[in-house]
Amino acid sequence: MPPRLNKRQLRELEELEALKTDAKKDAEEQSEGSSPVSPVAPPKPAVGGFAALMADQDDESSEEEAAQTRSSKSKKKKKKKKTTATPSTVPSPAPEARSPEPTQEPEAPRESPAPSGPSKKERKALKKQKAKEKQKDGMDDVDKALAELSLKYPDLKQQLATAAAPSSSPAAARSLAALLAVSLQHLDSEAELRKFFGSKVISAAKASSSSGPSRQSVLQRSNLTRPQPTWWPAQLREGLSVRLLTPEEVDEGLRRHGWQPLHGEKIWTIEYSKKYRAITFEFMRTVMSGDPEGFWQLLRVLPYHGDTLLQLSEVYHHREEHSTAADYVDRALFTYERAFVGAFNFTSGANRLDFDHVENRPFFLALHRQVTDLQRRGCVRTAFEFARLLYALEPWTDPHGALLHLDYLAIQAGMTQWLLDLWDLFEPDVEKESKDGKSPYVRRLVPNLLPGIAYSRALALYIREGSNDTEHQQSTEALKEAIRKFPPVVPLLADKADISLSGDIRGHPAFRIHPDASSLRSGSHAIFHLLSHLYAQRSASLWKPDGRASWFARTVAETYNTLPTATPAPPKLFFNRFESPTLAWSVYRHVQVNESTCRSLFPFVPRQILDARHLACDPLPPSTRVTEYDAAFFRGVEDVLAARPRSRRQEARLLERLVPDAALRGQLLDLWNAHPALAQRFPGGVVQFAQVAEQMPEVLEDMMVALAGAGGVDAPQQREGDMPGGMPGGEVMVNFVDPEDDVDSDVDEPAAQPAQAQAARPREEPEEEGEDDEEEAEEEEQVAPLPVRFVRSLVSRFWGGGANNAANESSDDEEGQLRDTEGVD
């Protein structure tokens, strides 16, 4: 009878059996149909206990040498799993494998009946089942993720199935990134002007136009702008930061647009800090109030607030002060550029900004306004680079219509090869989609579908061929293709470029000119003609040279007979794209931002778009937007303008520095206390009222008109509790906020509370001298004495003639001492 083995020896024997079974399985799989060769040794005669043990060890050593290719990690897992099994069942395989006797009398009572002696076939089946379970466990994470996504988004599985075949290749992604990479050296408009006019002329013009003291001791570095010494000192990021979208957010964006995933793109979004969000909330209140002075108050709190800077730029643009408007656009670009740190850069061509997030849209708007201003100044190469950056941030919806600038800027700036490479990159996928409807760019905007790009490509080929090529075969074929696809451009471009066409050509139905969308069948037809008008309007000067004009007329004469006699319809792919509101609104947004030059195209824009209420800071928000400036976005923000109310003593000291004359200061205080409506209008108190009245006299005039309309200003006597001039107190409130507006419906009350609380504050309020001195020191930097004549004029306007006698009590000597020495009276 063989001796009983210890636990270590039993584990080794069991491991040896498992290895033998695996080897047998591999041999059977490799040689199916032939007689299997069993790796198990034939049964041996019964030997002594020590001899059996030595034989087992020899067999074990040989088997371990044969299994060296197995990973140590899997062997440890297998050993751990088998040691955790029931030890009472382990001795059963050893006597059965090593002894020819059918039974073992001493060991029979110890064996458990179920797992004690499985046959070879059963062990083989069990091993196969375990292998399948291991393979299934290895795929658990992927299977679970796909199962959850399929339950959450039922149409995602179908989209992924359709996206598998026509997915974009890495080579195409690299080519597109190279085309969209921005050249930093060409972002400097001043350098381009120096090439035209010389450095001396530009330096002299810059020195004559610059005014005001320098605010910065050290200039900030920037790629998008040239920070000026008159700008405010810049701090790090100013409340803006950038982060990469999570895979879940990216998948949600693809589902929202119905797109297929592309290779090599990184999608980012900008985030607001708590303070920046609070300033944005005050900015929206100021926009709704219609008071431009509120923008200056916001800039005193946060000088680099993008929305406020862009709004002030728009104000100066309507005043036709273009240099000041451009300066504020530069500051807005500088504000956002400092948030782009880390992996986000402009030179890779693969970084995108999600236009559906409202935090990103001001940067798009700033770039668009920069492009239009650079064209106005004649910096076409810099304008092309900024337009390329605008296009690279979101090329698949082109939310601000950067391609509508690039089609003619590429010709003007000498970037014809870039335009041809862009066309060649997308042309194979466009042809494939036209044939079988499969392309990685389905539902995405492709440049080859726009009329301006098609005609500019033909012109680029003509320029590349040069004057030596008299036939111009390639460019002529490209122009014929553009005419067949987009015939409405022909009569419009001929009229704008003074190209003469015969009467037969003019009378062809394909060349009918539509001045508006009243006779067109759908919105995509209206956009078809709108883009034709836009290209002819902007690019007419490119076709005016004699050689190009004659080539254009000759090619039209050769092509017009092949055109259909019915009213031209847009190409199928064009129609499918612009029937969706996302791409259609990109064109409408482009027209709205360029209102001054595109007003003649408004008849092609739907009436519901024109009549809808839009803000200049966020023109025509996308229909797929994730966030916008609404109550949910501003939930939990604080009133930063009223976050630090002044004490009564501090306000008195500030007013004393503003108005040193005691008599005038007393009259101004009486005026403030007699008009409770002013407290609601100016939450900053009488100090803010005096500063606003000096800096924005037009606001003062509007307020005087409102007060005069309420009760008049001619009454010489003042009754206690009434407004001066006989105006009843508390009835006049100048408020430009529409009560029906949802944005500020729950906002106006908190704005008035700080002013009321400040007016109701007791005169003797305990305060610490240290804090008061610190606050006073902060205010001394911003407060300067007001001119005496201005204060007298202010008081006399509101109080009438009754204030003149009291004002004359101040001597002429005091007036001379208090007069503003800088000449502002």
Side-chain angles (χ1 to χ4, degrees):
M1 182 180 67
R4 183 183 300 178
L5 304 180
N6 57 25
K7 291 183 178 180
R8 184 181 64 81
Q9 294 171 347
L10 291 175
R11 287 198 303 269
E12 292 175 352
L13 289 175
E14 183 185 4
E15 200 172 289
L16 181 61
E17 279 300 323
L19 293 175
K20 291 178 180 180
T21 306
D22 292 341
K24 182 179 179 181
K25 175 186 174 182
D26 296 337
E28 290 179 354
E29 290 179 355
Q30 292 177 1
S31 59
E32 291 182 357
S34 61
S35 60
V37 180
S38 175
V40 183
K44 298 179 181 179
V47 294
F50 289 101
L53 179 60
M54 294 301 295
D56 292 340
Q57 291 179 354
D58 293 339
D59 294 339
E60 179 185 356
S61 61
S62 62
E63 293 294 338
E64 287 180 355
E65 291 177 359
Q68 288 296 328
T69 56
R70 296 180 179 272
S71 62
S72 59
K73 188 174 182 181
S74 61
K75 184 179 292 184
K76 290 179 181 180
K77 291 183 178 180
K78 188 182 296 181
K79 185 180 292 184
K80 184 176 180 181
K81 185 182 296 184
K82 292 185 179 299
T83 53
T84 55
T86 56
S88 59
T89 62
V90 174
S92 58
E96 184 178 354
R98 297 301 175 188
S99 176
E101 298 177 1
T103 57
Q104 296 290 338
E105 295 179 1
E107 299 294 335
R110 294 180 177 272
E111 294 176 357
S112 44
S116 59
S119 63
K120 294 181 180 180
K121 293 183 178 180
E122 292 176 352
R123 288 198 301 269
K124 181 179 178 181
L126 183 61
K127 196 65 179 178
K128 288 184 178 180
Q129 184 178 359
K130 288 182 179 180
K132 291 181 180 180
E133 290 178 355
K134 288 181 180 179
Q135 185 177 3
K136 184 178 179 180
D137 291 340
M139 299 295 291
D140 269 350
D141 296 338
V142 179
D143 292 340
K144 289 180 180 179
L146 291 176
E148 291 178 359
L149 289 175
S150 61
L151 292 177
K152 190 174 182 180
Y153 309 113
D155 56 338
L156 182 60
K157 185 176 181 180
Q158 182 180 359
Q159 292 181 7
L160 292 178
T162 56
S167 60
S168 63
S169 63
R174 288 192 298 268
S175 300
L176 179 61
L179 290 173
L180 299 184
V182 176
S183 176
L184 298 180
Q185 63 178 351
H186 292 102
L187 290 174
D188 190 356
S189 60
E190 186 174 327
E192 185 176 1
L193 290 175
R194 290 178 188 273
K195 293 180 181 179
F196 291 127
F197 305 104
S199 58
K200 293 184 179 180
V201 176
I202 300 301
S203 300
K206 186 177 179 181
S208 61
S209 61
S210 61
S211 60
S214 177
R215 296 176 181 265
Q216 290 182 331
S217 58
V218 180
L219 294 180
Q220 301 290 330
R221 302 180 63 180
S222 172
N223 291 321
L224 299 181
T225 62
R226 278 180 175 260
Q228 302 299 321
T230 56
W231 289 8
W232 302 288
Q235 299 178 0
L236 183 62
R237 299 193 185 182
E238 294 290 344
L240 297 178
S241 60
V242 65
R243 70 171 178 88
L244 194 65
L245 290 185
T246 62
E248 291 77 12
E249 291 175 323
V250 174
D251 294 339
E252 174 64 22
L254 294 176
R255 186 193 63 81
R256 195 166 55 247
H257 290 276
W259 290 344
Q260 302 168 4
L262 296 180
H263 181 82
E265 287 189 339
K266 295 181 180 179
I267 306 178
W268 303 76
T269 184
I270 295 173
E271 289 185 332
Y272 289 175
S273 65
K274 187 176 181 181
K275 179 181 179 181
Y276 198 96
R277 192 182 297 265
I279 293 295
T280 307
F281 175 67
E282 294 295 336
F283 164 78
M284 292 302 299
R285 293 177 58 182
T286 305
V287 169
M288 295 301 176
S289 67
D291 180 14
E293 169 57 21
F295 300 134
W296 297 104
Q297 187 176 359
L298 292 176
L299 292 182
R300 284 193 291 266
V301 180
L302 185 63
Y304 287 97
H305 183 254
D307 291 291
T308 304
L309 294 171
L310 290 175
Q311 195 72 18
L312 286 174
S313 171
E314 188 71 8
V315 171
Y316 282 105
H317 176 72
H318 285 289
R319 295 179 181 177
E320 296 185 356
E321 299 180 20
H322 299 293
S323 60
T324 307
D327 181 72
Y328 280 105
V329 172
D330 287 339
R331 299 188 192 200
L333 291 174
F334 182 57
T335 301
Y336 275 85
E337 184 184 4
R338 285 176 298 158
F340 300 141
V341 295
F344 189 97
N345 58 75
F346 306 132
T347 58
S348 66
N351 293 314
R352 311 283 182 256
L353 273 183
D354 191 359
F355 191 74
D356 291 340
H357 288 76
V358 69
E359 299 92 334
N360 304 329
R361 294 201 281 269
F363 185 60
F364 283 87
L365 180 60
L367 287 175
H368 195 174
R369 291 183 178 172
Q370 183 78 338
V371 171
T372 56
D373 183 74
L374 288 171
Q375 295 177 53
R376 181 189 61 83
R377 292 155 56 187
C379 302
V380 292
R381 183 63 179 88
T382 310
F384 170 82
E385 212 62 45
F386 273 96
R388 175 160 63 170
L389 174 58
L390 179 61
Y391 177 59
L393 291 178
E394 182 52 88
W396 310 123
T397 59
D398 195 12
H400 276 267
L403 286 172
L404 306 182
H405 291 294
L406 289 171
D407 55 5
Y408 71 98
L409 283 176
I411 305 298
Q412 284 186 324
M415 299 296 293
T416 55
Q417 188 59 43
W418 179 89
L419 184 64
L420 296 175
D421 293 340
L422 186 69
W423 178 279
D424 295 339
L425 177 64
F426 290 100
E427 185 62 20
D429 294 293
V430 172
E431 294 178 355
K432 184 177 180 181
E433 186 179 354
S434 300
K435 293 179 180 178
D436 53 14
K438 294 182 179 180
S439 170
Y441 308 111
V442 175
R443 299 186 184 90
R444 297 176 187 259
L445 181 62
V446 179
N448 303 37
L449 303 179
L450 299 178
I453 298 294
Y455 280 86
S456 294
R457 173 194 172 235
L459 184 57
L461 289 172
Y462 183 87
I463 295 173
R464 190 178 68 175
E465 292 168 354
S467 58
N468 296 328
D469 189 355
T470 57
E471 295 182 358
H472 296 285
Q473 182 176 359
Q474 188 177 4
S475 59
T476 302
E477 291 298 327
L479 183 57
K480 289 181 179 180
E481 181 183 358
I483 294 173
R484 285 191 291 266
K485 288 184 177 180
F486 309 101
V489 178
V490 172
L492 299 171
L493 189 58
D495 291 342
K496 295 289 184 180
D498 297 332
I499 301 175
S500 60
L501 299 176
S502 63
D504 295 338
I505 297 176
R506 291 279 186 177
H508 196 280
F511 297 147
R512 178 187 175 186
I513 298 177
H514 292 267
D516 52 38
S518 59
S519 59
L520 301 176
R521 290 180 291 179
S522 64
S524 61
H525 286 74
I527 294 177
F528 183 62
H529 289 271
L530 186 153
L531 295 179
S532 301
H533 279 268
L534 185 62
Y535 177 76
Q537 175 180 328
R538 289 178 172 173
S539 302
S541 61
L542 302 177
W543 296 85
K544 281 187 176 182
D546 295 337
R548 300 176 187 179
S550 59
W551 168 65
F552 177 82
R554 184 171 59 254
T555 306
V556 172
E558 296 174 358
T559 311
Y560 85 99
N561 288 326
T562 62
L563 298 177
T565 57
T567 302
K572 181 180 179 180
L573 298 184
F574 182 97
F575 181 84
N576 295 338
R577 256 59 169 200
F578 288 98
E579 278 298 307
S580 67
T582 301
L583 299 183
W585 286 18
S586 298
V587 178
Y588 302 149
R589 190 180 298 110
H590 179 91
V591 173
Q592 285 189 346
V593 174
N594 297 276
E595 180 182 358
S596 58
T597 58
C598 298
R599 181 168 289 276
S600 60
L601 303 179
F602 277 14
F604 293 98
V605 181
R607 179 54 56 185
Q608 59 269 22
I609 299 294
L610 297 175
D611 294 342
R613 181 177 181 180
H614 303 299
L615 300 176
C617 59
D618 189 14
L620 197 60
S623 58
T624 57
R625 56 186 176 270
V626 176
T627 57
E628 59 181 329
Y629 290 154
D630 54 4
F633 184 83
F634 294 117
R635 184 176 293 113
V637 300
E638 299 177 355
D639 191 354
V640 293
L641 299 182
R644 296 180 180 178
R646 300 188 185 98
S647 64
R648 198 173 187 84
R649 183 184 303 178
Q650 182 183 2
E651 186 172 349
R653 292 180 180 178
L654 288 175
L655 186 60
E656 184 178 355
R657 286 196 295 271
L658 280 173
V659 187
D661 192 306
L664 290 177
R665 186 168 63 252
Q667 294 177 16
L668 189 62
L669 282 173
D670 293 338
L671 171 65
W672 173 262
N673 295 328
H675 291 73
L678 296 178
Q680 299 178 357
R681 178 67 168 158
F682 301 98
V686 63
V687 176
Q688 181 190 8
F689 167 67
Q691 291 175 333
V692 170
E694 179 199 16
Q695 297 174 1
M696 304 290 291
E698 60 272 13
V699 177
L700 179 64
E701 296 293 339
D702 296 340
M703 196 169 2
M704 289 178 57
V705 171
L707 294 175
V713 294
D714 296 329
Q717 301 295 332
Q718 177 191 358
R719 295 174 298 176
E720 184 176 359
D722 290 346
M723 295 284 283
M727 298 174 62
E731 293 184 3
V732 179
M733 178 177 178
V734 183
N735 190 2
F736 294 96
V737 182
D738 190 355
E740 297 179 359
D741 294 342
D742 296 333
V743 177
D744 285 55
S745 60
D746 55 348
V747 172
D748 295 334
E749 295 181 359
Q753 289 177 0
Q756 297 174 359
Q758 186 176 359
R761 189 182 294 112
R763 290 184 176 272
E764 296 184 0
E765 180 179 356
E767 59 183 7
E768 297 180 2
E769 294 295 334
E771 295 179 357
D772 183 52
D773 294 340
E774 293 178 0
E775 295 175 354
E776 180 180 353
E778 293 177 357
E779 296 293 343
E780 285 178 355
E781 299 178 358
Q782 300 180 358
V783 174
L786 298 178
V788 176
R789 288 185 178 180
F790 165 74
V791 179
R792 286 181 177 176
S793 174
L794 173 64
V795 174
S796 61
R797 284 184 177 184
F798 276 87
W799 287 83
N804 293 331
N805 296 332
N808 291 332
E809 294 179 1
S810 60
S811 62
D812 295 337
D813 296 338
E814 293 177 348
E815 179 180 354
Q817 295 176 359
L818 299 175
R819 185 180 300 276
D820 189 2
T821 58
E822 296 182 359
V824 181
D825 288 336

